[in-house]
């Protein structure tokens, strides 16, 4: 009996600590959400409030009058979807080849792919920028999208997923006279759907929140993405906090919804994809 | 006829494989390998945005870097950030993961909360924390005042700004570490614990004798990727402190960014500094992997 009481007490203390840690994570996010609906006077009042005195939507008008948020959102969507859809298909294609085919120099080539994982983006950003500049791609969607499609870590993830499938599947299709690309796209790719969703979701999230690359190559007023457009909003209008909060909330909302419905894939992908700043 | 022969040649598994790997192969070559090689050449040049006007200056950029007070300071800031942030995050990640590894309702709930900041962009983090820590209207400032600490201005004080950035970075990332470690802990065979239970080993002893050694490879993996990530810290510096106050948070990548893109387009010099950072990252990886191999014998 004595041991049980001790156990219960320890458990309660532990749960309290873990719960408090969860609050530390949550409070800033919830506070941001509430603050987006506060009046400016409410925001700058002292003592600061957690809940809005009254819910107002005027901050949305504030955002719209300062930056072209609709255009930036469209740009972010094009960047996110334009990157993630080909990323799923092309990385899976390579992962499939490394998993199912035997060809000359396979291992050497695969190690070459993996070696690219060791190259930190921040280290090559200067020559990459100059390359985009030389190609004449500055301030185009291609500049944002094309360099971000291929990823050795996704190829690696797809290869592992295909490794788990039985060999007989494509043998049967091959005997039926299916072309290799059809075997891939119609039979094999659908079988690793969870992996595809993981890649899709994490690529969308990565592009949506990416600030540095759009800042370098898509900085004209009509090409900005939401993340770097907001950076400009806080840079130039530091005195009006309400619209900054609303802008931040607006940019966070799609990812929040994605997280609520696709949490499993976020976690799955994060456990496998390596090196992020 | 010709066409048919060609399609049947390229439909053979050993040939079609090259077509399948070609798109990503070309992309990685053009946007990863070429920039890496180009970076070496750029680092030996005095060059701006227009490559045609560049001139070869040998190792001058490297000499300049090692005598540049600001660059050396940025390395010091970066290393300090990297060491402390990584260490604290690993400790918190390991400790937390040990307690939330069971799939109970409570644990699954806190896990998804700890992981939540993964959806925040650097800009959102910037707005959020700048306001919470705001010296005159911030929520945190107010709470500190309530417990008797006046004039707290964490981000505006050169002595505390870097540590504050570390804290925010941990806030944003420790959930990822915890989740990865939870996955590793769940893979430890259950009978190890049952055997230890029979021997009368307590939970704490079990953690150090079984769990920790069993998840060692995940810990190493996390350690290495966190060090690499934190050595490149840029975006939260940009959105939270802009390198200030008093350059106390000017990290290496932030300094490189400034040299290359915001002032004088010093592309050659920026590349040389990038190479030095790259070299440092490589050395850290090699040393850590060496230690890992040594200790696993």
């Amino acid at each position: 009996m004595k041991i049980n009481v001790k156990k219960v007490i320890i458990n309660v203390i532990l749960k309290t600590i873990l719960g408090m840690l969860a609050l530390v994570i949550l409070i800033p996010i919830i506070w941001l959400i509430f603050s987006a609906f506060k009046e400016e006077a409410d925001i700058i009042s002292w003592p600061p409030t957690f809940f809005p005195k009254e819910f107002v939507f005027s901050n949305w008008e504030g955002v719209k009058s300062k930056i072209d948020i609709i255009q930036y959102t469209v740009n972010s969507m094009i960047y996110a979807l334009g990157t993630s859809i080909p990323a799923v298909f092309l990385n899976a294609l390579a992962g499939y080849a490394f998993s199912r085919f035997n060809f000359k120099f396979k291992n050497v080539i695969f190690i070459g792919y993996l070696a690219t994982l060791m190259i930190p983006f921040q280290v090559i950003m200067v020559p990459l920028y100059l390359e985009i500049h030389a190609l004449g791609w500055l301030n185009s969607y291609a500049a944002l999208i094309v360099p971000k499609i291929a990823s050795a870590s996704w190829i690696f993830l797809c290869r592992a997923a295909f490794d788990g499938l039985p060999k007989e599947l494509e043998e049967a299709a091959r005997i039926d006279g299916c072309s290799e690309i059809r075997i891939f796209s119609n039979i094999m790719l659908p079988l690793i759907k969870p992996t595809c969703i993981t890649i899709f979701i994490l690529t969308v999230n990565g592009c949506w929140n990416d600030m540095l690359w759009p800042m370098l190559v898509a900085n004209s007023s009509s090409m900005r993405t939401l993340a770097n457009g907001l950076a400009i909003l806080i840079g130039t209008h530091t005195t009006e906090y309400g619209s900054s909060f609303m802008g931040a909330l607006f940019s966070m909302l799609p990812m929040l919804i994605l997280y609520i419905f696709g949490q499993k894939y976020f976690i799955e992908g994060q456990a496998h994809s390596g090196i992020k700043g | 006829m010709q066409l048919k022969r060609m399609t049947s040649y390229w439909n053979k598994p050993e040939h079609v494989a090259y077509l399948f790997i070609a798109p990503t192969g070309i992309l990685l070559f053009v946007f990863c390998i070429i920039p890496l090689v180009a970076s070496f050449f750029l680092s030996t040049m005095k060059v701006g945005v227009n490559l045609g006007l560049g001139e070869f200056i040998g190792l001058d950029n490297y000499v300049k870097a090692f005598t540049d007070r600001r660059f050396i300071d940025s390395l010091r800031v970066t290393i300090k950030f990297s060491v402390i942030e990584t260490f604290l995050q690993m400790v918190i990640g390991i400790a937390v993961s040990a307690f939330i590894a069971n799939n109970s309702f409570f644990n699954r709930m806190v896990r998804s909360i700890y992981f939540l900041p993964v959806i925040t962009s650097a800009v959102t983090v910037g707005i959020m924390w700048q306001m919470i820590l705001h010296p005159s209207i911030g929520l945190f400032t107010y709470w500190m005042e309530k417990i008797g600490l006046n004039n707290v201005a964490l981000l505006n004080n050169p002595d505390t700004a870097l540590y504050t950035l570390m804290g925010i970075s941990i806030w944003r990332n420790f959930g990822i570490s915890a989740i990865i470690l939870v996955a590793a802990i769940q893979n430890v065979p259950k009978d190890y614990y049952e055997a230890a239970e029979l021997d009368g080993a307590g939970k704490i002893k079990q953690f150090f004798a079984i769990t920790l050694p069993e998840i060692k490879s995940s810990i190493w993996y996390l350690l290495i990727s966190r060090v690499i990530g934190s050595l490149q810290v840029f975006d939260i510096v940009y959105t939270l402190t802009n390198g200030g106050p008093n350059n106390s948070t000017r990290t290496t990548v932030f300094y490189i960014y400034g040299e290359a893109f915001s002032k004088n387009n010093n592309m050659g010099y920026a590349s040389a500094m990038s190479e030095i950072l790259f070299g440092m990252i490589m050395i850290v990886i090699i040393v850590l992997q060496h230690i890992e191999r040594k200790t696993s014998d």
Side-chain angles (χ1 to χ4, degrees):
Chain A
M1 262 345 254
K2 208 176 159 196
I3 292 172
N4 271 345
V5 171
K6 199 177 142 198
K7 247 188 184 169
V8 168
I9 292 173
I10 289 177
N11 204 9
V12 167
I13 293 172
L14 210 61
K15 290 256 165 27
T16 312
I17 294 172
L18 291 171
M20 272 164 63
L21 197 56
L23 279 183
V24 171
I25 299 288
L26 272 181
I27 284 176
I29 295 175
I30 294 173
W31 180 76
L32 173 86
I33 295 173
F34 281 137
S35 297
F37 300 101
K38 284 177 189 166
E39 275 181 334
E40 198 63 26
D42 198 357
I43 293 172
I44 58 174
S45 67
W46 184 266
T49 54
F50 193 84
F51 300 102
K53 285 202 188 83
E54 69 184 299
F55 273 86
V56 292
F57 287 89
S58 56
N59 291 327
W60 176 243
E61 298 302 320
V63 179
K64 273 209 303 201
S65 71
K66 285 180 200 92
I67 56 172
D68 193 352
I69 194 159
I70 303 300
Q71 178 67 44
Y72 296 170
T73 308
V74 170
N75 291 341
S76 276
M77 282 165 70
I78 292 174
Y79 177 29
L81 295 176
T83 308
S84 55
I85 293 167
V88 168
F89 192 78
L90 295 179
N91 291 317
L93 196 61
Y96 177 71
F98 283 119
S99 168
R100 309 305 261 204
F101 296 146
N102 277 316
F103 50 94
K104 260 186 222 158
F105 309 117
K106 179 172 159 177
N107 289 334
V108 178
I109 297 173
F110 190 62
I111 290 167
Y113 273 68
L114 285 187
T116 63
L117 282 177
M118 308 279 277
I119 304 171
F121 175 76
Q122 268 82 331
V123 167
I124 57 165
M125 68 182 180
V126 171
L128 198 55
Y129 169 83
L130 292 174
E131 206 178 328
I132 297 296
H133 180 78
L135 285 168
W137 283 7
L138 282 186
N139 289 311
S140 70
Y141 292 118
L144 286 171
I145 293 169
V146 180
K148 293 278 184 175
I149 293 172
S151 153
S153 58
W154 296 143
I155 293 171
F156 195 63
L157 188 66
C158 289
R159 189 187 76 139
F162 282 120
D163 278 344
L165 300 177
K167 199 88 182 156
E168 296 79 43
L169 288 166
E170 68 255 46
E171 303 284 307
R174 216 165 269 149
I175 291 162
D176 286 348
C178 253
S179 68
E180 292 297 333
I181 185 75
R182 293 230 4 223
I183 296 176
F184 168 76
S185 63
N186 293 7
I187 301 169
M188 302 305 278
L189 191 60
L191 290 174
I192 61 156
K193 210 161 97 191
T195 309
C196 294
I197 299 175
T198 300
I199 296 173
F200 179 79
I201 285 185
L202 280 184
T203 308
V204 166
N205 188 52
C207 293
W208 193 267
N209 289 338
D210 187 13
M211 186 183 70
L212 181 54
W213 185 236
M215 216 159 76
L216 300 185
V217 297
N219 223 347
S220 74
S221 59
S222 65
M223 278 305 297
R224 279 179 201 135
T225 61
L226 210 43
N228 88 27
L230 281 176
I232 287 174
L233 178 71
I234 46 171
T236 50
H237 299 276
T238 35
T239 44
E240 276 180 58
Y241 302 117
S243 42
S244 304
F245 284 130
M246 183 51 96
L249 172 63
F250 181 77
S251 81
M252 191 174 73
L253 217 50
M255 294 306 107
L256 187 63
I257 293 166
L258 203 61
Y259 182 76
I260 290 168
F261 290 104
Q263 202 199 114
K264 177 176 117 190
Y265 300 104
F266 269 96
I267 290 172
E268 182 90 357
Q270 213 71 47
H272 288 102
S273 81
I275 302 140
K276 296 268 153 67
Chain B
M1 225 42 221
Q2 188 85 34
L3 189 76
K4 203 171 173 195
R5 209 179 311 137
M6 221 169 83
T7 47
S8 87
Y9 175 85
W10 281 112
N11 200 37
K12 291 231 166 57
E14 63 271 31
H15 298 141
V16 79
Y18 295 109
L19 295 183
F20 280 18
I21 62 170
T24 44
I26 292 166
L27 287 172
L28 287 174
F29 184 76
V30 174
F31 297 110
C32 220
I33 308 289
I34 289 181
L36 184 70
V37 176
S39 178
F40 284 103
F41 287 107
L42 286 171
S43 72
T44 63
M45 290 166 75
K46 185 177 168 60
V47 65
V49 179
N50 197 331
L51 291 176
L53 300 175
E55 65 178 292
F56 178 77
I57 54 166
L59 294 177
D60 284 8
N61 283 327
Y62 290 91
V63 174
K64 184 178 166 191
F66 285 115
T67 51
D68 180 351
R69 193 74 239 153
R70 285 165 301 178
F71 177 65
I72 302 292
D73 280 343
S74 81
L75 283 180
R76 195 173 298 146
V77 169
T78 305
I79 291 169
K80 192 167 165 189
F81 178 89
S82 183
V83 170
I84 302 177
E85 198 263 6
T86 306
F87 176 76
L88 288 178
Q89 173 164 309
M90 295 297 296
V91 171
I92 298 173
I94 292 170
V96 167
S97 66
F99 295 121
I100 60 171
N102 284 329
N103 281 330
S104 70
F105 175 75
F106 178 85
N107 286 348
R108 273 180 308 178
M109 202 179 66
V110 290
R111 254 185 253 156
S112 46
I113 293 172
Y114 294 163
F115 201 65
L116 187 61
V118 76
I119 64 159
T120 58
S121 68
V123 184
T124 313
V125 171
I127 294 170
M128 194 186 309
W129 283 100
Q130 251 180 19
M131 292 305 293
I132 287 176
L133 302 174
H134 198 288
S136 54
I137 57 174
L139 201 59
F140 181 81
T141 315
Y142 173 66
W143 287 343
M144 286 299 107
E145 204 176 281
K146 276 201 130 177
I147 61 168
L149 292 166
N150 285 323
N151 302 322
V152 177
L154 292 179
L155 282 172
N156 308 63
N157 182 342
D159 295 326
T160 53
L162 188 63
Y163 296 101
T164 311
L165 281 187
M166 291 172 198
I168 293 170
S169 179
I170 292 169
W171 173 85
R172 200 178 175 202
N173 289 317
F174 94 92
I176 298 173
S177 313
I179 293 285
I180 291 172
L181 293 172
V182 163
I185 291 174
Q186 288 179 343
N187 279 334
V188 179
K190 291 275 174 295
D191 36 334
Y192 288 14
Y193 294 106
E194 283 157 20
E197 203 88 35
L198 288 179
D199 289 344
K203 287 271 181 239
I204 295 168
K205 198 160 175 218
Q206 284 178 29
F207 176 75
F208 284 102
I210 301 168
T211 312
L212 221 43
E214 284 292 315
I215 63 168
K216 216 165 71 180
S217 67
S218 295
I219 293 177
W220 276 108
Y221 162 78
L222 267 182
L223 180 68
I224 290 171
S225 50
R226 279 317 306 161
V227 171
I228 298 173
S230 58
L231 283 173
Q232 299 179 72
V233 60
F234 170 80
D235 54 2
I236 58 169
V237 177
Y238 184 85
T239 59
L240 278 160
T241 61
N242 215 11
N246 226 340
N247 296 325
S248 62
T249 59
R250 187 166 60 192
T251 62
T252 304
V253 172
F254 190 82
Y255 186 49
I256 293 173
Y257 170 84
E259 282 295 307
F261 299 106
S262 67
K263 287 182 295 191
N264 22 14
N265 291 126
N266 239 330
M267 296 302 186
Y269 186 43
S271 295
M273 293 190 288
S274 301
E275 289 306 328
I276 295 169
L277 181 66
F278 184 50
M280 274 173 47
I281 292 174
M282 285 299 141
I283 290 170
V284 171
I285 294 176
I286 291 166
V287 169
L288 285 176
Q289 279 181 340
H290 182 76
I291 300 171
E292 181 187 4
R293 232 170 285 137
K294 268 276 164 67
T295 53
S296 63
D297 287 340

